[in-house]
């Protein structure tokens, strides 16, 4: 049985799953693990290997062949070489400049629990939002649109753009370099500072006198708390103002929103929804961002698409 081990690597949690030869999720589904991203070099790699072990252990006790291992990482990262360039971000500092594939092979032996790393076994590293966009383009809402913009709001504002289901890197000038908008100037700083949990925390601190998480604000909104609702309305005005320039220059048919803050769209999305309707842009909310990222790793590795 040929399988693929896929990891969506975050700073707090790592979502992982086994994908079958045809791209389907193994019956155990997606499992969440502690990232241990602040640990030492050895602790981080032991954790990666332990996650791979845990995935393999849940498979039937018969010989399986691991065709590939895919890992979606946030930046900065050298994706071609598989080297993390994160430093000073309070995550993965200990593995800065290290070849992850080379190091991980020493922690995850070729034979374990009856699993074999095939001769064709390979590692693939992708930007986490690019993996998400590829997964959406192939399996999700984006597959029916010619031009799509993707935005994942969480610890930061990750983005990607596709035309005819191909990732755009800014070649034609209609999207920013690499398809990344996070450093784009916005208000007094950048989009990343505003369309993220940091931006939401800043708004809530100004309104409540203390920072509140997105989950806390969501629960308050469910109770029709007017202050929380006002916080989300202002956050929504930021989203609209920040995204309009990209809607005008790129002119997408679809806009796919993922990340942890997408779950609160019903409380902040009205103004942006209206702007999209005027521009003929369909908005799609992703139900499971990590699943799409894991599927995107599979598509890129197996279908080379």
């Amino acid at each position: 049985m040929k399988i693929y081990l896929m990891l969506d690597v975050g700073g707090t949690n790592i979502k992982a799953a086994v994908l079958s030869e045809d791209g389907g999720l193994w019956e155990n589904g997606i499992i969440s693990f502690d990232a241990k991203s602040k640990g030492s070099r050895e602790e981080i790699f032991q954790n990666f290997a332990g996650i791979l072990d845990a995935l393999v252990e849940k498979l039937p006790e018969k010989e399986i062949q691991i065709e590939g291992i895919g890992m979606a990482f946030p930046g900065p990262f050298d994706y071609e070489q598989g080297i993390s360039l994160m430093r000073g971000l309070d995550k993965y500092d200990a593995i800065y400049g290290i070849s992850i594939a080379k190091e991980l092979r020493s922690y995850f032996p070729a034979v374990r629990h009856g699993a074999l790393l095939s001769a064709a076994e390979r590692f693939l590293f992708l930007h986490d939002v690019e993996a998400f966009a590829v997964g959406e383009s192939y399996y999700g809402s984006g597959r029916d649109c010619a031009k799509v913009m993707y935005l994942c709001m969480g610890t930061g504002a990750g983005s990607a753009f596709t035309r005819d289901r191909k990732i755009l890197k800014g070649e034609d000038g209609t999207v920013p370099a690499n398809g990344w908008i996070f450093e784009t100037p916005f208000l007094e700083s950048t989009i990343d500072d505003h369309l993220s949990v940091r931006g939401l925390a800043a708004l809530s601190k100004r309104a409540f006198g203390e920072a509140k998480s997105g989950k806390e604000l969501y629960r308050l909104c469910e109770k029709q708390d007017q202050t929380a609702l006002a916080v989300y309305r202002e956050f929504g005005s930021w989203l609209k103002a920040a995204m309009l320039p990209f809607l005008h220059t790129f002119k997408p048919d679809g806009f796919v929103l993922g990340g942890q803050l997408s779950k609160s769209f019903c409380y902040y999305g009205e103004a942006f929804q209206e702007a999209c309707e005027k521009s003929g842009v369909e908005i799609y909310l992703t139900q499971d961002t990590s699943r799409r990222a894991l599927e995107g790793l599979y598509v890129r590795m197996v279908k080379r698409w």
Side-chain angles (χ1 to χ4, degrees):
M1 177 175 62
K2 297 179 180 180
I3 62 163
Y4 299 85
L5 306 180
M6 301 303 190
L7 280 64
D8 181 17
V9 182
T12 303
N13 296 300
I14 296 174
K15 302 292 183 63
V18 176
L19 273 71
S20 62
E21 195 171 4
D22 64 1
L25 275 179
W26 194 253
E27 59 189 26
N28 294 301
I30 298 172
I31 309 171
S32 182
F33 299 87
D34 184 350
K36 300 184 181 179
S37 62
K38 299 179 184 180
S40 66
R41 169 176 173 167
E42 183 175 2
E43 288 170 335
I44 290 172
F45 280 107
Q46 282 181 340
N47 190 47
F48 287 157
I51 291 170
L52 296 174
D53 274 341
L55 293 177
V56 173
E57 284 177 345
K58 292 183 179 296
L59 297 171
E61 291 187 5
K62 61 180 180 179
E63 188 173 290
I64 59 174
Q65 190 164 288
I66 301 170
E67 289 290 297
I69 297 171
M71 304 179 78
F73 274 90
F77 196 99
D78 183 337
Y79 296 98
E80 288 189 11
Q81 301 299 320
I83 296 173
S84 173
L85 301 177
M86 286 178 269
R87 188 161 57 180
L89 299 178
D90 204 28
K91 58 184 179 183
Y92 300 115
D93 285 53
I95 63 171
Y96 176 87
I98 298 171
S99 169
I100 291 175
K102 182 178 179 180
E103 188 80 5
L104 191 51
R105 281 189 174 97
S106 67
Y107 285 87
F108 188 64
V111 181
R112 188 178 293 188
H113 309 303
L116 298 176
L117 291 177
S118 74
E121 175 270 328
R122 57 197 182 278
F123 279 81
L124 172 71
F125 301 93
L126 282 183
H127 186 274
D128 51 359
V129 182
E130 180 174 336
F132 162 74
V134 171
E136 273 292 334
S137 293
Y138 199 86
Y139 290 103
S141 308
R143 68 185 184 275
D144 297 323
C145 299
K147 296 170 66 178
V148 187
M149 180 176 179
Y150 306 81
L151 177 67
C152 288
M153 294 187 295
T155 55
S159 61
F161 298 78
T162 59
R163 179 187 293 116
D164 297 326
R165 307 204 304 182
K166 303 295 184 183
I167 295 290
L168 300 178
K169 300 285 189 176
E171 304 90 337
D172 62 358
T174 63
V175 305
N178 297 308
W180 299 345
I181 67 169
F182 72 101
E183 289 185 321
T184 302
F186 182 67
L187 298 179
E188 74 283 0
S189 55
T190 64
I191 285 179
D192 203 62
D193 286 335
H194 290 81
L195 301 185
S196 61
V197 293
R198 299 191 310 281
L200 196 59
L203 282 177
S204 63
K205 185 174 183 178
R206 190 170 70 194
F208 288 95
E210 61 177 3
K212 293 188 179 296
S213 68
K215 185 178 291 186
E216 290 174 311
L217 288 169
Y218 185 88
R219 289 173 177 169
L220 287 170
C221 286
E222 287 184 310
K223 298 176 182 178
Q224 293 300 301
D225 183 279
Q226 294 304 304
T227 304
L229 289 167
V231 167
Y232 266 130
R233 279 196 298 272
E234 185 165 0
F235 185 78
S237 72
W238 285 356
L239 175 64
K240 176 184 175 181
M243 292 300 104
L244 278 179
F246 300 105
L247 297 186
H248 292 155
T249 56
F250 182 57
K251 296 179 172 56
D253 306 300
F255 188 101
V256 180
L257 188 63
Q260 63 195 89
L261 295 184
S262 66
K263 295 176 174 62
S264 305
F265 186 77
C266 58
Y267 292 120
Y268 65 76
E270 184 177 0
F272 182 56
Q273 179 85 53
E274 291 175 354
C276 284
E277 288 175 358
K278 289 179 181 178
S279 299
V281 180
E282 189 73 30
I283 296 178
Y284 303 95
L285 303 180
T286 297
Q287 297 301 311
D288 192 334
T289 304
S290 284
R291 173 169 183 162
R292 291 296 183 237
L294 298 173
E295 291 171 335
L297 286 166
Y298 166 83
V299 170
R300 183 60 60 80
M301 178 177 283
V302 178
K303 300 183 180 295
R304 312 238 179 212
W305 172 82

